[in-house]
Amino acid sequence: MRDEYRREMEQFGPTQEELDRLCGMIEGGTIMKRKMWLGCRAAAALAVCAALTLTAAVAAAPTVWDALTEELGLFGPYAQVVEGASCTDQGIRLQVVNALSDDLEAKVYFTLQDLEQDRLNEYLSLSGTLTAGVAEANEGKDPSVIIGSGFPSTRYFELVSYDPDTKTALLRAAIHYSENAQPDHKAQLSITKTNTRQVQLYGTASCESTTSAALKSLPVSSSDKVVFRPGDMVNNGYEDANALLPSKQVVLAPGQTPMPLEGSKDIQISSMGFASDGCFHIRLDFADGMRPGFWSDGALAMLCSIYSPNRGNDNDFMLYQMTLVDGGLDILFPLIKAGDLEDLQNGELRLSGNYFRPGTEVEGSWSVEFNMDYYSSVTLDWTGNIDGSYVREVSVSPLSVTMYSNNTGSFARAELCAVKRDGTIITAQPGTGRYANMEAVGGKGYDAFNTWKFDEPVNLADIVSLTLKDASIPVR
């Protein structure tokens, strides 16, 4: 089977290293792990079919193959290859290629390829839905109706990579199941529009290079436009936020401390530092053809803050005014002064929102249904106390851990570890969850639901215990 598998794979063109890695998956028992958890496929047949199908799906775009392999990392052997889920409209082909799911979260990977023109790029965003648990009763209904009926879903799609040579984009969508939502094998992906004009921004920049020296400043001119005032914000604990503005209205002169804004190719930092008004400013430069978006009330559709671990969510570092200037934007933080320099140097600018750039929009109808396997969690035969909280249930899958308790919130910030038989430690980071004071609704005490996601997949048979806050939970 190994030799036949190699011959088939070589027709699609992966490297020898990729072939060795995939063959190692078969011979190393990975499929037996999947069979143990899923219990529904012949191991060898699944391995060959899955590898061949995935290779065929992305063979036309080697960079997409590389991006998917890098994205999945150690979770690659646990991911499911999705077969036969493709459609074409408006000269653009959609194909679901991969899924990784347990009963806490489902990640679906799919490609869009422009077969006729060049309407996709690295700024691609989509309108549509990914829904799990599509019942027969909902067939033919609008996706928004299906979402309204309570099925787990998402409208958020994240671009993983774009290959300009083959005009192929690889995207990811994730569904987070709540504690009351059960995953279903049937899923539906529906896209109604591709867009390279409107861009979602999530940009960051370190403030480490800021000095106490005053930078060159310019008076606010009649052509400049104040588009976001502190008084327009939630009060932030101040009775009159506008009274906190300096009496001298200035903006930074451009080009004094140029640096990139991580997360955006259309926006860069032109100047960052203290202006002649004694306050901290950041001036941004916009690329040609770019224009910011606005909310319905006329405010600029951008949010920003300076986050410093020394200050946490300090209002002084979150109060700001934005002024549109020639070719960009000046952001004034009226409460950050030279005395805050040390905290400022340990902080970073966080900028989010949306803007418009030259691009295209394509409306169409791309919709596919597919079966999505998932790893069911196994409930451990253990209850007990951890850090003064009573834990009534713990469940584990190869990807995550869920816990029910009366914890008052400390679990949400605590790392969890799985201890393997050979002593190896696998860490799991806090995920989504909630806790509530039941007395507010006539109950007693607190009720909490916490989740953790493993940094790499685990095999339950290899785990002897879980560790949380120095407490050990036996895995039997």
Side-chain angles (χ1 to χ4, degrees), residues 13 29 36 84 102 161-162 203 217 241 261 267 287 301 351 375 475:
M36 181 197 333
D102 63 1
S161 72
Y162 178 73
S217 306
L261 179 71
I267 303 175
L351 188 68
Y375 295 98
V475 175

Side-chain angles (χ1 to χ4, degrees), residues 298-435:
L300 192 68
M302 287 189 182
L303 299 174
C304 72
S305 66
I306 302 295
Y307 176 78
S308 173
N310 297 352
R311 302 288 283 264
N313 295 321
D314 191 324
N315 285 339
D316 290 4
F317 276 47
M318 300 177 70
L319 191 69
Y320 59 89
Q321 171 181 276
M322 291 179 169
T323 303
L324 280 172
V325 294
D326 183 25
L329 181 72
D330 181 272
I331 308 173
L332 156 67
F333 294 86
L335 299 183
I336 301 181
K337 305 295 179 61
D340 302 305
L341 181 61
E342 183 177 349
D343 292 339
L344 183 62
Q345 291 174 334
N346 289 323
E348 70 172 8
L349 167 70
R350 296 180 177 179
L351 188 68
S352 63
N354 66 72
Y355 64 88
F356 296 88
R357 67 181 313 279
T360 60
E361 293 183 6
V362 181
E363 294 188 359
S365 179
W366 299 268
S367 184
V368 292
E369 291 189 6
F370 56 96
N371 289 325
M372 185 166 59
D373 290 333
Y374 66 92
Y375 295 98
S376 298
S377 294
V378 175
T379 301
L380 302 183
D381 183 20
W382 180 88
T383 60
N385 292 288
I386 298 178
D387 196 33
S389 299
Y390 176 71
V391 179
R392 66 180 185 273
E393 184 178 308
V394 181
S395 299
V396 188
S397 85
L399 313 179
S400 65
V401 176
T402 62
M403 180 180 293
Y404 293 86
S405 71
N406 63 357
N407 185 254
T408 58
S410 63
F411 288 175
R413 300 178 296 274
E415 185 179 79
L416 182 144
C417 298
V419 182
K420 299 175 65 174
R421 296 185 184 280
D422 62 3
T424 303
I425 303 296
I426 308 297
T427 57
Q429 305 303 324
T432 58
R434 55 94 189 142
Y435 74 99

